[in-house]
Amino acid sequence: MTTTATTTLIDGIGLLYTGDPEREEISDAALVIEDGLIAWSGPAAEAPAADERMDAAGRAVIPGFVDSHSHLIFAGDRTAEFQARMSGEPYTGGGIRTTVAATRAAGEAELATHAFSLVREMRAQGTTTVEIKSGYGLSVEHERRSLEIATTLTDETTFLGAHVVPAGMDADAYVRLVSGEMLEACAPYARWVDVFCEEGAFDGDQTREILTAGQKAGLGLRVHANQLTEGPGVRIACELGAASADHCTHLSAADVDALASSGTVATLLPGAEFSTRSPYPDARRLLDAGVSVALATDCNPGSSFTSSMAFCVALAVREMRMTPLEAIRAATYGGARALRRTDVGWLRRGARADLVILDAPSYVHLAYRPGVPLVHQVFLGGLLL
Ligand code: NIG
Ligand code: FE
């Protein structure tokens, strides 16, 4: 028996940002969805016939955002910490332990429901792929539980047992636990391993040890690198072939060179600088050196409690001097590269039909009209949410 797949034509697209470097922008465009994938995209005048038609009425279309860095499995509240920062207190990462205590005390259903509500919030704002880290459990069972919940929400799960050393524990003993028993319990639920390489968290040797153990267990590498100080994180990430070095706020010339000559993406998280009132990373320096750049939210209760990729695009343009084109590219194609994915982040033939119709004639409006809810409709795997 043969079945005929239904094809859907979306035409009337004022401006299509495809994310495909070969043909990034198409005016007066159309695209065809078939079996949840992009079957065709191009000028509307050349569009093939389809079973169903939808008129975008001059709106812009972009690939769904790829948010390649978030920490959604947590409980508790750090409003007071944010308030204190806005009165001049610095951000140190010390509040992570507050969230760890609240997360350990929370039931599994509470954690899962909360994380699901954050993913729903993200989707409504145009994010169709999200990476989710553990890192607020910091014991074998609490980290495993966090990752198990994360697997119900995304394929892009990251083991971040090495977020900080939990209160009352010896650092060396904890590094051994993370690279041994905890890794073994968590690896079946994780695609990636990540380390917060920073003063007060994990130093270069510890970072290397944990990443190498993760690699041996079959996980891909990501690093929280150079967020608060100019540490060794970026160079270790590049050396070990990490998919991404995240934050990249304090970089030496050698760090920029290492990123430019490696396959490691620099993932910038301007929500963190916004929310910790810190200087933004020098995106221009990275782009001008030829580094691959991604943008992500870093959604977490401490340093960046935003789920909005559009907000990060606006910050990148206004505060980090990225052009609107560079910013939308980093938030879609860049995020996909940071996750080593070729099936999302662009709207070329064969990619997943994850796309956003904006209530605006151009993606430029994401920065030009900051804070305005511009998401008209979101398609996930060809299905309208
Ligand atoms: O990416 N820097 C380390 N981890 C998070 C912050 C976590 C927290 O403050 O709870 C980040 O900014
Ligand atoms: Fe983070």
Side-chain angles (χ1 to χ4, degrees):
M1 192 172 82
T2 54
T3 51
T4 316
T6 306
T7 53
T8 305
L9 169 72
I10 303 180
D11 67 1
I13 301 173
L15 182 65
L16 175 64
Y17 172 73
T18 67
D20 181 352
E22 280 175 22
R23 197 183 202 183
E24 262 191 312
E25 293 184 47
I26 307 172
S27 302
D28 300 318
L31 58 82
V32 176
I33 299 172
E34 181 172 8
D35 277 342
L37 305 177
I38 301 294
W40 182 90
S41 66
E46 297 167 20
D51 303 322
E52 291 168 357
R53 175 176 173 255
M54 233 184 101
D55 183 4
R59 295 182 177 90
V61 170
I62 59 173
F65 293 120
V66 178
D67 189 347
S68 59
H69 183 139
S70 84
H71 309 245
L72 305 187
I73 316 296
F74 68 90
D77 180 87
R78 283 161 64 190
T79 312
E81 181 190 319
F82 175 76
Q83 262 177 314
R85 273 206 304 279
M86 295 306 111
S87 305
E89 288 294 317
Y91 174 80
T92 61
I96 293 171
R97 291 188 183 89
T98 312
T99 302
V100 170
T103 304
R104 286 179 176 178
E108 193 167 332
E110 178 189 343
L111 289 175
T113 305
H114 182 236
F116 177 71
S117 73
L118 288 170
V119 169
R120 202 173 40 197
E121 195 178 278
M122 288 175 157
R123 285 204 182 135
Q125 297 173 91
T127 297
T128 49
T129 301
V130 60
E131 178 264 16
I132 302 178
K133 300 174 198 298
S134 65
Y136 292 118
L138 308 190
S139 74
V140 174
E141 182 45 28
H142 290 111
E143 283 295 300
R144 195 206 58 77
R145 173 175 84 153
S146 293
L147 282 162
E148 190 175 10
I149 294 168
T151 59
T152 65
L153 300 168
T154 184
D155 294 335
E156 300 295 345
T157 54
T158 301
F159 168 47
L160 180 60
H163 203 178
V164 286
V165 178
M169 217 171 151
D170 169 73
D172 290 335
Y174 188 63
V175 170
R176 278 197 301 277
L177 180 70
V178 171
S179 353
E181 194 192 334
M182 196 185 283
L183 173 65
E184 206 178 307
C186 290
Y189 303 94
R191 175 163 189 234
W192 305 97
V193 60
D194 192 344
V195 177
F196 184 20
C197 182
E198 188 58 65
E199 279 171 23
F202 297 89
D203 68 19
D205 289 342
Q206 295 167 332
T207 299
R208 215 181 278 278
E209 185 175 332
I210 295 160
L211 292 177
T212 309
Q215 205 161 34
K216 278 201 194 113
L219 304 183
L221 310 185
R222 342 185 51 77
V223 186
H224 274 73
N226 302 48
Q227 176 184 7
L228 307 174
T229 55
E230 199 186 284
V234 163
R235 267 160 298 141
I236 293 171
C238 296
E239 219 179 276
L240 297 182
S244 180
D246 297 47
H247 286 284
C248 294
T249 311
H250 299 273
L251 298 181
S252 66
D255 294 327
V256 177
D257 286 350
L259 285 163
S261 54
S262 73
T264 301
V265 173
T267 299
L268 308 182
L269 308 165
E273 279 74 36
F274 176 87
S275 186
T276 59
R277 209 172 255 159
S278 304
Y280 289 91
D282 193 343
R284 282 261 55 87
R285 183 185 184 202
L286 290 166
L287 289 163
D288 294 346
V291 174
S292 302
V293 169
L295 281 171
T297 61
D298 195 14
C299 184
N300 76 80
S303 66
S304 181
F305 201 8
T306 181
S307 53
S308 168
M309 287 293 283
F311 174 62
C312 295
V313 165
L315 286 180
V317 171
R318 173 63 182 82
E319 303 294 337
M320 285 155 47
R321 297 178 184 276
M322 290 171 75
T323 65
L325 178 60
E326 287 166 340
I328 187 74
R329 185 187 293 146
T332 55
Y333 175 78
R337 289 201 63 180
L339 293 171
R340 302 241 160 114
R341 294 276 295 264
T342 54
D343 59 329
V344 297
W346 54 11
L347 299 175
R348 62 150 63 171
R349 187 182 159 81
R352 219 162 70 179
D354 290 354
L355 56 100
V356 181
I357 303 182
L358 295 175
D359 253 327
S362 163
Y363 62 82
V364 177
H365 286 57
L366 294 167
Y368 178 43
R369 304 203 66 214
V372 178
L374 294 179
V375 171
H376 178 64
Q377 284 171 322
V378 180
F379 286 77
L380 186 65
L383 297 176
L384 184 59
L385 291 185

